Amino acid sequence: MRILITGGCGFIGSNLVRYLLHHEPAAHVVNLDLLTYAGNASNLADLAGDSRYELVRADVADRDAVRELFRGRKFDSVLHLAAESHVDRSIHDSTPFIRTNVVGTQVLLDAAKEFGIRRFVQVSTDEVYGSLGPSGLFTETTPLCPSSPYSASKAAADLLVGAYHHTFGMPTLITRCSNNYGPYQFPEKLIPLFISNLLRGEQVPVYGDGLNVRDWIHVEDHCAGIVAVWRSGRPGEVYNLGGRCEKTNLALTHELIALAGRTFAAIRYVADRPGHDRRYAIDCSKAEQELGWTPKVDFSVGLRETFDWYRAHPAWVESIRNGEYRSYYERQYGGKTAANTSVSE
Ligand code: NAD
Ligand code: TYD
């Protein structure tokens, strides 16, 4: 059974490729990835020489390249993860987000329609629902109300996926997951950024008052959820996936500071993200009831393991914290004035 995974060299994609090969003995995985700044072929270095795994470097929005790939293989399924994924970058420039997340999804849907597949899973995000007040949870029927260029591009892609099911009867499914953490996450997102700063003895930049809330899920639980939806989900349906683990950014930051053995002086409050969503929280009972899936990783255990993974892989982190990353970091954090300067430890 040949499965196309797009974005398999990124954080979730690389964990998913490994998870699928481990849990699905009949699977042969073709990984279509452009290897952008966020994609790292070495995330799957352990699969070198594995006859069940193949990396194809290509742009998901390149219609000719994608058709060529589909023509040459008989894919059973598509698990679509390739995306520009970082909200702050989408605020600086949304152009690649529209190209990859919207046009790329359209190109992939067209190829899947032309060549035929049994399942098409669109891996999406809870951010398409927008922001919650202090109470309530996102369900699959919550109206889409994206706030950032990133979430707007994912919502557009989700709508296209739904339209291809409705119009052409394509066997599509959509997952919408909350914030992931775990090994191989690019250190621009909160958890890996803060861990790598703390390990270097640097401060961590908390946006605004730090009281924004996110629901955290271990990447292994997300991968299990994607595979459960791929195996048993009903075509045309959306499945929310979440960790049932709401935290303010500040509470999470304090946990990371404790793991690092630092003090609260490691916090640098910086100007807030424009349009910053206040709270995300997921009701994942549909996936639990229909698919028998549930998040299993205890957050404090998963966070410690993640911290230890970054501490044990300094070369992986340092290989990223160079060139393009430095100029991004300078642009994102360099010019910000601290709203609250910290004392030295
Ligand atoms: P990531 O940024 O770590 O990886 C993205 C991957 O896509 C990289 O390997 C990159 O090289 C590849 N890519 C980018 N543009 C491409 C293009 N034009 N053609 C082919 N490949 C391209 O992202 P991630 O955090 O692993 O997220 C994966 C997916 O999961 C995304 O669709 C994202 O929206 C979704 N998601 C992420 C989270 C999260 O917390 N990270 C939560 C819910 C959903
Ligand atoms: P992030 O990891 O970028 O995920 P998302 O915006 O997709 O939820 O951010 C998680 C939360 O952490 C979000 O409320 C923004 C906040 N944040 C900071 O306070 N400082 C930072 O440097 C970053 C990257 C995020």
Side-chain angles (χ1 to χ4, degrees):
M1 179 188 356
R2 196 164 279 145
I3 299 164
L4 176 64
I5 294 185
T6 69
C9 291
F11 163 47
I12 300 168
S14 57
N15 281 285
L16 181 64
V17 169
R18 208 174 275 107
Y19 184 96
L20 198 63
L21 288 174
H22 184 71
H23 289 89
E24 191 64 46
H28 287 246
V29 172
V30 176
N31 171 12
L32 181 154
D33 198 298
L34 186 58
L35 298 176
T36 67
Y37 81 91
N40 192 340
S42 76
N43 290 356
L44 291 168
D46 53 315
L47 297 182
D50 188 328
S51 60
R52 297 169 60 213
Y53 171 70
E54 179 189 356
L55 170 62
V56 175
R57 185 173 191 183
D59 183 347
V60 71
D62 180 339
R63 191 168 287 275
D64 292 340
V66 170
R67 284 189 78 233
E68 192 59 31
L69 184 63
F70 272 77
R71 189 180 293 114
R73 319 285 202 288
K74 183 103 188 81
F75 290 124
D76 172 88
S77 300
V78 176
L79 308 181
H80 178 34
L81 289 87
E84 288 290 335
S85 69
H86 192 38
V87 172
D88 292 321
R89 287 186 190 252
S90 80
I91 293 169
H92 286 294
D93 180 10
S94 59
T95 311
F97 288 76
I98 302 305
R99 177 176 164 79
T100 294
N101 301 3
V102 184
V103 178
T105 302
Q106 181 217 8
V107 166
L108 206 56
L109 284 165
D110 281 342
K113 177 159 80 71
E114 180 179 351
F115 293 95
I117 39 100
R118 193 176 58 83
R119 313 282 270 181
F120 184 109
V121 180
Q122 157 79 352
V123 176
S124 190
T125 164
D126 60 353
E127 301 191 27
V128 298
Y129 297 123
S131 185
L132 288 166
S135 61
L137 302 171
F138 296 133
T139 71
E140 288 81 358
T141 56
T142 301
L144 303 191
C145 188
S147 313
S148 70
Y150 161 67
S151 54
S153 69
K154 292 295 290 187
D158 286 11
L159 290 173
L160 274 174
V161 170
Y164 274 61
H165 170 76
H166 184 81
T167 308
F168 307 115
M170 276 182 62
T172 64
L173 304 106
I174 297 174
T175 62
R176 295 195 179 127
C177 190
S178 59
N179 287 59
N180 284 221
Y181 70 98
Y184 298 104
Q185 187 168 27
F186 193 89
E188 64 187 354
K189 308 279 168 56
L190 187 147
I191 288 182
L193 171 66
F194 284 18
I195 292 175
S196 56
N197 278 17
L198 289 166
L199 288 172
R200 291 160 65 97
E202 295 173 2
Q203 288 185 303
V204 295
V206 171
Y207 295 159
D209 62 7
L211 297 181
N212 301 66
V213 173
R214 296 293 182 264
D215 169 65
W216 293 95
I217 181 171
H218 194 274
V219 66
E220 192 83 355
D221 280 331
H222 186 192
C223 291
I226 294 169
V227 170
V229 169
W230 167 66
R231 279 192 182 134
S232 319
R234 287 178 291 130
E237 292 293 314
V238 174
Y239 293 90
N240 283 351
L241 304 171
R244 297 193 189 286
C245 177
E246 285 185 55
K247 303 233 169 228
T248 64
N249 293 337
L250 214 45
L252 172 55
T253 302
H254 290 169
E255 287 182 60
L256 291 170
I257 285 172
L259 284 171
R262 301 274 306 275
T263 73
F264 292 170
I267 295 176
R268 179 167 73 105
Y269 288 94
V270 299
D272 208 353
R273 170 188 283 174
H276 196 173
D277 283 336
R278 193 63 171 169
R279 177 171 167 261
Y280 301 148
I282 277 267
D283 177 352
C284 56
S285 53
K286 178 177 171 182
E288 291 182 320
Q289 283 158 19
E290 279 192 26
L291 310 173
W293 167 89
T294 197
K296 290 188 179 141
V297 179
D298 175 79
F299 183 75
S300 56
V301 174
L303 194 66
R304 174 175 290 281
E305 285 175 2
T306 302
F307 190 93
D308 290 344
W309 187 89
Y310 280 89
R311 184 161 39 198
H313 292 82
W316 186 90
V317 177
E318 287 316 312
S319 71
I320 286 168
R321 290 182 75 118
N322 56 25
E324 192 276 345
Y325 181 84
R326 284 212 193 118
S327 55
Y328 165 75
Y329 198 90
E330 180 58 29
R331 187 181 54 184
Q332 179 63 17
Y333 301 103
K336 283 191 171 161
T337 47
N340 196 357
T341 40
S342 59
V343 292
S344 51
E345 288 171 61

